[in-house]
Amino acid sequence: MQQTAAPVKKLTDWLEKEGYDGILLRKRQNFSWITGGKVNHIENTTEYGVADLLIIPRINKKYCFTSKMESRRIMEEELNDFDFELVECEWYESIIPLIRKHIEGKMIVGDSTFLGLEDVSSELAYLRSQLSETEITNYKWLCQKAAGALENVCHEIKRGMTEHEIAALLAQKVMEDGINPQVILVATDERIFNYRHPIPTAKKLENYAMIVICAEKFGLVANCTRFVHFGELPETLRENTQKLAKIDITMNMATKPGVRINEVFEKGLQAYAEVGFPEDWRFLHQGGLTGFAPREFLASRETDHIIVKNQAFAWNPAIRGIKSEDTIFVDEEGNQFLTHTGNWVYIEVEYDGKIYKRPDVLVR
């Protein structure tokens, strides 16, 4: 399959190969994928949008199902460049009978179990993960914007700010560029050591802050974490940061085309043991394939998918008091750290005879 193939062609080729008549797409990420980055949602806290797409290559038909309340904007601003046929109902009516009518008697699958359809979400995740040239360009822009905003926040925050205030500052910076902050995590001081997935609270920053973002635009999601410390960094934390960088570079550089994801995972576990933290991987997932979700799926010892060119990964190893997370693009000529801005403080780490720069803790 050509990496530059349009998403619709990727999908229709796959449907034909698998012997399906068509597919019903309801999830926001798949709407964005198929339409080259358009959006179909109103509510920002659900994975489903307000417009469903039904693609039936066997009869050369593409439908958009939505209510009359949404149809004009969807068709004029989101689907204006696509040949989807509108099927609409009143806002107070159910769209379900109309969808049933169009899928009746056909072998249709979906990205959920809606109407009893076979859920092929896992297959779609792998299919859309092979990014096109346009998606790669959009992703690079997004990753630079997200990481740049995150790093600027680390330079601007002050002691005494609450975690909520830090999160709001980051949200403001990315939203100014039309970026949706899907996830913002903030922890300060002891919360960093106590919780691996810390949502922001009213706690005030004293000396140490961890800030995390999963930023969405074009349907794609950039993932990045940075740390800032006020005053001299404790020696134990400095040592752990150096140790973590070795785990980080091991996992990121082992992520190569032709390698199985669980092989990368195992190399990460070996690196944990080598730096003296053999069990810390159990306290937080280690990341995995990314792209149209913060993680398309989480890597584990059972994940035997083979890595291919033009995929993106976000590994996030962590040991006590420190975590590392960037979004990388897999290339046969060498992986690119898409969230590397060059405007941060870095640790130099040797791997396989080469020196790499990985994010350090910003000391202010």
Side-chain angles (χ1 to χ4, degrees), residues 60-118:
N60 196 29
K61 287 287 188 177
K62 297 199 291 289
Y63 301 98
C64 172
F65 297 90
T66 190
S67 70
K68 291 181 180 179
M69 180 175 66
E70 310 291 353
S71 60
R72 181 173 180 179
R73 192 198 70 79
I74 292 290
M75 298 306 291
E76 291 182 359
E77 295 187 345
E78 308 297 347
L79 297 180
N80 55 308
D81 292 330
F82 300 88
D83 55 347
F84 281 90
E85 180 180 331
L86 175 64
V87 182
E88 60 183 347
C89 66
E90 302 291 348
W91 66 262
Y92 50 84
E93 296 176 333
S94 172
I95 199 73
I96 292 178
L98 295 175
I99 296 177
R100 285 190 187 278
K101 178 181 176 181
H102 284 78
I103 68 175
E104 187 177 3
K106 302 178 182 67
M107 190 175 293
I108 305 295
V109 292
D111 59 0
S112 70
T113 57
F114 181 69
L115 296 180
L117 297 178
E118 179 186 349

Side-chain angles (χ1 to χ4, degrees), residues 301-321:
R301 284 172 162 158
E302 284 70 49
T303 314
D304 61 355
H305 289 281
I306 296 176
I307 299 165
V308 298
K309 181 182 176 182
N310 288 14
Q311 287 182 325
F313 281 78
W315 299 108
N316 51 261
I319 57 179
R320 289 155 212 178

Side-chain angles (χ1 to χ4, degrees), residues 69-265:
M69 180 175 66
E70 310 291 353
S71 60
R72 181 173 180 179
R73 192 198 70 79
I74 292 290
M75 298 306 291
E76 291 182 359
E77 295 187 345
E78 308 297 347
L79 297 180
N80 55 308
D81 292 330
F82 300 88
D83 55 347
F84 281 90
E85 180 180 331
L86 175 64
V87 182
E88 60 183 347
C89 66
E90 302 291 348
W91 66 262
Y92 50 84
E93 296 176 333
S94 172
I95 199 73
I96 292 178
L98 295 175
I99 296 177
R100 285 190 187 278
K101 178 181 176 181
H102 284 78
I103 68 175
E104 187 177 3
K106 302 178 182 67
M107 190 175 293
I108 305 295
V109 292
D111 59 0
S112 70
T113 57
F114 181 69
L115 296 180
L117 297 178
E118 179 186 349
D119 185 358
V120 295
S121 295
S122 59
E123 290 87 344
L124 292 178
Y126 200 70
L127 187 65
R128 66 176 177 254
S129 72
Q130 301 168 55
L131 303 177
S132 69
E133 293 302 320
T134 298
E135 290 164 348
I136 294 167
T137 298
N138 288 340
Y139 212 4
K140 289 179 177 179
W141 178 91
L142 172 62
C143 285
Q144 285 295 297
K145 285 290 185 178
L150 175 57
E151 292 172 359
N152 285 339
V153 167
C154 289
H155 282 282
E156 294 176 19
I157 60 175
K158 300 177 181 179
R159 284 173 163 151
M161 290 181 68
T162 68
E163 293 169 354
H164 287 314
E165 289 172 329
I166 295 169
L169 180 60
L170 179 54
Q172 176 190 345
K173 287 185 180 296
V174 295
M175 291 178 74
E176 288 174 350
D177 284 311
I179 297 169
N180 174 32
Q182 273 196 2
V183 176
I184 292 180
L185 302 178
V186 180
T188 56
D189 307 300
E190 71 277 0
R191 293 190 74 234
I192 299 172
F193 295 84
N194 294 340
Y195 312 114
R196 297 296 170 98
H197 263 170
I199 63 171
T201 70
K203 183 194 174 303
K204 293 183 178 181
L205 167 63
E206 298 172 32
N207 297 308
Y208 191 33
M210 176 183 77
I211 312 175
V212 181
I213 191 166
C214 300
E216 174 200 9
K217 190 174 177 63
F218 316 113
L220 298 160
V221 183
N223 311 277
C224 191
T225 297
R226 295 291 184 264
F227 288 78
V228 57
H229 192 280
F230 290 81
E232 185 177 353
L233 198 65
E235 185 59 29
T236 299
L237 191 51
R238 184 177 300 280
E239 291 176 0
N240 285 355
T241 303
Q242 293 281 349
K243 291 176 179 179
L244 180 65
K246 295 180 180 179
I247 304 172
D248 167 287
I249 202 64
T250 297
M251 299 184 77
N252 280 301
M253 292 301 103
T255 308
K256 298 179 180 179
V259 175
R260 294 186 183 278
I261 292 176
N262 53 8
E263 294 177 32
V264 179
F265 188 83

Side-chain angles (χ1 to χ4, degrees), residues 22-40:
I23 189 166
L24 179 67
L25 302 174
R26 307 192 67 234
K27 293 182 178 179
R28 292 165 49 175
Q29 59 194 169
N30 288 320
F31 186 99
S32 293
W33 171 49
I34 286 297
T35 59
K38 301 294 186 176
V39 298
N40 71 334

